[in-house]
Every structure is written in structure tokens, then in C-alpha cells.
Amino acid sequence: MRVFSDYCRDLVAQAREQLQGGPKAALPSPMARLEYYLVSLALAFAGESPHRGCFLTKVTVDRAGEDEEVAQTARRAFDDLAGVLAGAIRDAQDAGEVADHVDSSALGYLLLSVIRGIDSIAKADVDATTLEQAARSAVALIPRAEPPRAEV
């Protein structure tokens, strides 16, 4: 459990580091960071040989139904990951990239579901191009903010 808990904590910390902006952010646009994050995960899952997948996904599938402590740890990790993704959506809303009416929490869980799905299908040796397109398509479905109208 200690190894699983540490893994989950590190996974959330890595997501937060990659998705949060700041003066040292490699990509200044929240949407660009979000797309880069999803695509990099898709390519990492595709590039594994053998396709082991994410430890969080594997342990959740294998043990959460039988072990309450595993289920709680996984749930906390999923909530935290979805929260980090929701934070990236809120950052994009603040930057005028995503429509204000979007429910960032719901979208955070949707993107988390896409990531977990990509992880799962990568194990079946789905090609990297398909996984990358799935990640990019998920980002493309996010409702964008209306561009500001020119003053007349």
C-alpha cells in the first residue's frame, strides 16, 4: 500500500507540475499545456514495451473491488487528478481560451476518463497515431470561448 500510495501522490504531483502555469512554464497557454499533457501520456502509453500501463489503473482494476484501502487510495488519486485537470480548464477559462459556461469539474473527470481509456487500449497494442489522435480529439471537443468582437 505504501508503494501504491507513493505512486499515486507522485502521479498527481507530476500532472500538477506539467499543467500549472507560472513564470517557468514551457508552454504559456493553458490549452497548449493541456493538449501537450494528454498527447505525451498517449505517446508514453503507446511507446511502452511491453505495454504495462499505469500502475494506478492496473491496481484499481485488479484490487479496488476487493480491498477498501486500495479503493480509497485510488479514488483519492482520481479525484486529485481530475481536480488538476479541472484547474487547467479554469486556467484556460481565465485566459479566455475556454467558454465560461463549461463545468471544469465535469470536464476534468471526462479528460481523466479519456486518459485512463487510452492507457487501457494501449495495452492491446493500438498504434501511437490512433492514441495521439484520441488525445487531440478530446482536447478539440472542449468548448472554446468566443473571440472578442472588434469595436466599430
Side-chain angles (χ1 to χ4, degrees):
M1 274 310 302
R2 184 182 54 77
V3 170
F4 181 54
S5 294
D6 289 350
Y7 178 88
C8 291
R9 186 187 64 248
D10 291 347
L11 190 65
V12 172
Q14 289 170 3
R16 188 172 285 115
E17 182 179 320
Q18 290 181 29
L19 290 170
Q20 286 182 339
K24 294 185 178 183
L27 299 168
S29 160
M31 285 304 292
R33 286 192 303 273
L34 187 61
E35 183 169 14
Y36 179 82
Y37 177 71
L38 265 68
V39 168
S40 67
L41 286 176
L43 295 176
F45 292 141
E48 286 183 329
S49 182
H51 296 294
R52 295 180 312 270
C54 175
F55 188 47
L56 171 57
T57 301
K58 283 177 90 166
V59 172
T60 301
V61 170
D62 291 344
R63 302 291 309 146
E66 302 165 5
D67 186 322
E68 184 61 30
E69 189 176 6
V70 168
Q72 288 176 358
T73 301
R75 175 60 190 261
R76 189 170 38 256
F78 289 137
D79 286 344
D80 291 347
L81 286 167
V84 170
L85 291 162
I89 296 298
R90 285 189 299 277
D91 289 347
Q93 287 172 316
D94 292 344
E97 296 179 304
V98 170
D100 287 333
H101 72 273
V102 170
D103 181 340
S104 61
S105 296
L107 197 50
Y109 258 101
L110 175 65
L111 293 174
L112 178 62
S113 299
V114 169
I115 292 166
R116 297 297 107 199
I118 288 172
D119 176 22
S120 296
I121 63 175
K123 287 182 175 186
D125 206 26
V126 172
D127 65 279
T129 300
T130 300
L131 298 176
E132 179 183 354
Q133 288 172 341
R136 290 188 191 283
S137 294
V139 173
L141 293 173
I142 297 171
R144 297 306 199 268
E146 293 291 324
R149 295 182 183 207
E151 297 291 325
V152 181

